[in-house]
Amino acid sequence: MGKLPAEDAFYMLMIRDRTNKGTLQLILPDSTLKKPASDSSDGLPIAIDSIASKHKLQLKNASEPEFDLTIKLDCRLMEIDADLSVDKPEVIEKLQTEINKKMESEINRIIKYSQEVNSDIFNFGEYYRAHVRNGEIDKGKWNELYPHIKVNVTVKTRIIRDGVFQ
């Protein structure tokens, strides 16, 4: 039906299952920690290592399928620019906020792509059928609905500890 790059596998695991392994590299905006942008900078590169993640899916509206997807991620900060001090709580909070935004954006992109190719790889249809009384919806009807469902994604990251920075 379609292809997703290998880099998206971590996001897919977080949406579908609990995961406690995996490293993710992100590029956050230079403004995240008031780091001056250089001409060659694409942003602030960081790497996080998942310690544990949980996801919760709720059907918000059955008539026009709308879901709330919440992902909680406990992680370890593995790599970040050595010039940045991450020993202050406000710095960690800002990092967590920016990681949340970036991951929400990536997850929304992946869900949107799955809708474009009409492939319910996250089993929203199964969840819908299981939670709607008299929700006898066949696969054909779900294939009509799936490209138009709405998924509200919320990511809540908690940096548990940090790694060694170079």
Side-chain angles (χ1 to χ4, degrees), residues 26-37 41 43-47 77 79-99 101 159 162 165:
L26 301 168
I27 305 290
L28 303 179
D30 278 327
S31 62
T32 298
L33 298 174
K34 298 183 174 95
K35 177 186 173 211
S41 176
L44 174 65
I46 68 165
L77 184 60
E79 291 180 29
I80 193 166
D81 189 322
D83 295 337
L84 299 172
S85 174
V86 292
D87 57 352
K88 297 177 184 163
E90 60 270 12
V91 172
I92 295 295
E93 285 179 29
K94 183 66 174 166
L95 275 173
Q96 290 173 162
T97 299
E98 292 301 321
I99 290 169
K101 288 180 190 175
I159 297 174
D162 51 38
F165 306 121

Side-chain angles (χ1 to χ4, degrees), residues 6 32 39 44 64 79-80 96 98 101 104 107 119 124 137 140 142 145 147 155 160 166:
T32 298
D39 291 339
L44 174 65
E64 294 180 24
E79 291 180 29
I80 193 166
Q96 290 173 162
E98 292 301 321
K101 288 180 190 175
E104 287 168 3
I107 291 169
S119 177
F124 292 120
I137 187 169
W142 182 251
L145 289 174
V155 176
I160 301 296
Q166 301 178 8

